[in-house]
Amino acid sequence: MRQPSALITGCSSGIGRALADEFHQAGYQVWATARQSADLAALRAAGFSAVQLDVNDGPGLEQLAERLQAEIGGLDVLINNAGYGAMGPLLDGGVAAMRRQFETNVFSIIGVTRACFPLLRRNKGLVVNIGSVSGVLVTPFAGAYCASKAAVHALSDALRLELAPFSIELMEVQPGAIASSFAANASQQAEQLIDQASPWWPLRDAIRARANASQNKPTPAKQFAGQLLAAVQRSKRPRLLRLGHGSRGLPLLTALLPKSLLEALLKKRFGLNRSL
Ligand SMILES: NC(=O)c1ccc[n+]([C@@H]2O[C@H](COP(=O)([O-])OP(=O)(O)OC[C@H]3O[C@@H](n4cnc5c(N)ncnc54)[C@H](OP(=O)(O)O)[C@@H]3O)[C@@H](O)[C@H]2O)c1
């Protein structure tokens, strides 16, 4: 029997690495991407086909697709996982931070999926897009990230319909809090933005707290990855999968609470209920 294949982006740590492990153990040939050579070496040592890729690198994507075409000819599962959290006040980060966030979290999904389309079409494959509960329950000091994930959810809905005639399925995943390097990276990124000249300087502790929020009672990445794999292996796959701490409760809260009450709670939580 033919060995199934999976291409997973952003496998240096966290969710990507855990998914690579789970799919490998389940018998998939895993193509795992990372950016740094030390991460690539670790992925190779774990038995994956490791590929250096920055998801924003157009020529790199073409080379990867050509390599997959030559070596396996088709692709069963593509997991668009690579991403990061741009934290901090929207107006502090400005257009540049927003653009960078969308390049990596949103536009790259189109770039990677487009490059892999002929391979997915050949195998009647599956695209898995990693969104976030943050695209559903929007908070301050994570506006660029929340907007990027809401965009991922919207584009996933359109793409699912457009891929249907080719028998390519699309599953959208909205993780809650999952143990990974996400918060450490988000905090590091937020620290670069936190500046005494910012109008939001008095709220720097709230900004820091938001950057760390994904590590609030996080679900282990291995558990998350095992559940995602199980969903991929179902004969009737869900179109939307909510996994991890807060992934069901927070959207429910968003749906049930009047918007004005939700905003009052968020203002209180992040110190935005006073004049600055
Ligand atoms: N952890 C959570 O609570 C949570 C919740 C909801 C959604 N998510 C989503 O889950 C996905 C994985 O995040 P994670 O939690 O596993 O965080 P993570 O441990 O920080 O992993 C993020 C991965 O994305 C890679 N990446 C970032 N920018 C990239 C780029 N331009 N090109 C290629 N790779 C890039 C990183 O590579 P480098 O090591 O080279 O930077 C890393 O491998 C993200 O899309 C994130 O938004 C996470």
Side-chain angles (χ1 to χ4, degrees):
M1 209 177 75
R2 183 178 65 79
Q3 183 184 23
S5 53
L7 170 63
I8 307 170
T9 63
C11 293
S12 66
S13 59
I15 290 176
R17 176 57 203 259
L19 285 170
D21 286 332
E22 288 298 315
F23 277 74
H24 182 64
Q25 278 161 28
Y28 279 76
Q29 180 182 7
V30 173
W31 293 74
T33 83
R35 292 189 287 187
Q36 309 296 333
S37 31
D39 296 324
L40 289 161
L43 292 171
R44 263 182 217 114
F48 310 128
S49 302
V51 183
Q52 185 157 33
L53 181 74
D54 183 314
V55 289
N56 299 314
D57 172 15
L61 283 176
E62 277 173 32
Q63 279 168 19
L64 169 58
E66 280 166 19
R67 190 170 157 201
L68 290 173
Q69 182 64 48
E71 293 197 27
I72 49 176
L75 184 63
D76 296 295
V77 180
L78 163 63
I79 306 186
N80 287 307
N81 166 71
Y84 73 96
M87 300 290 152
L90 275 167
L91 302 188
D92 278 355
V95 174
M98 189 80 168
R99 185 169 286 138
R100 276 195 302 274
Q101 179 73 110
F102 269 66
E103 292 279 357
T104 296
N105 287 14
V106 184
F107 303 158
S108 81
I109 291 186
I110 298 303
V112 176
T113 310
R114 190 168 192 263
C116 294
F117 175 76
L119 299 154
L120 290 161
R121 184 179 186 181
R122 164 102 190 263
N123 286 18
K124 298 187 182 353
L126 166 73
V127 178
V128 178
N129 287 343
I130 306 293
S132 174
V133 69
S134 297
V136 182
L137 174 54
V138 173
T139 66
F141 305 142
Y145 180 63
C146 294
S148 76
K149 290 300 184 178
V152 170
H153 302 166
L155 77 80
S156 296
D157 281 346
L159 199 53
R160 182 184 302 105
L161 295 169
E162 292 171 7
L163 292 175
F166 307 98
S167 301
I168 300 172
E169 288 183 45
L170 188 145
M171 195 162 81
E172 176 191 331
V173 185
Q174 294 178 359
I178 313 296
S180 73
S181 304
F182 183 87
N185 290 335
S187 298
Q188 195 184 26
Q189 189 270 136
E191 285 308 324
Q192 287 168 11
L193 207 66
I194 291 172
D195 187 283
Q196 220 157 344
S198 163
W200 290 274
W201 170 252
L203 301 181
R204 56 196 176 282
D205 288 343
I207 296 170
R208 291 188 171 112
R210 177 56 188 92
N212 260 307
S214 74
Q215 296 309 288
N216 172 24
K217 296 192 199 137
T219 298
K222 182 175 170 39
Q223 184 181 328
F224 170 90
Q227 289 171 341
L228 197 157
L229 172 69
V232 167
Q233 290 178 325
R234 266 184 236 159
S235 54
K236 193 165 169 14
R237 296 172 180 135
R239 53 175 293 289
L240 168 64
L241 195 60
R242 288 183 164 142
L243 294 175
H245 181 71
S247 65
R248 287 166 190 268
L250 294 175
L252 196 65
L253 204 68
T254 312
L256 294 181
L257 284 186
K259 193 86 177 159
S260 55
L261 178 56
L262 186 60
E263 284 192 358
L265 291 171
L266 288 169
K267 278 184 191 165
K268 187 160 185 281
R269 166 81 179 77
F270 291 96
L272 292 158
N273 53 356
R274 63 182 170 111
S275 296
L276 291 175

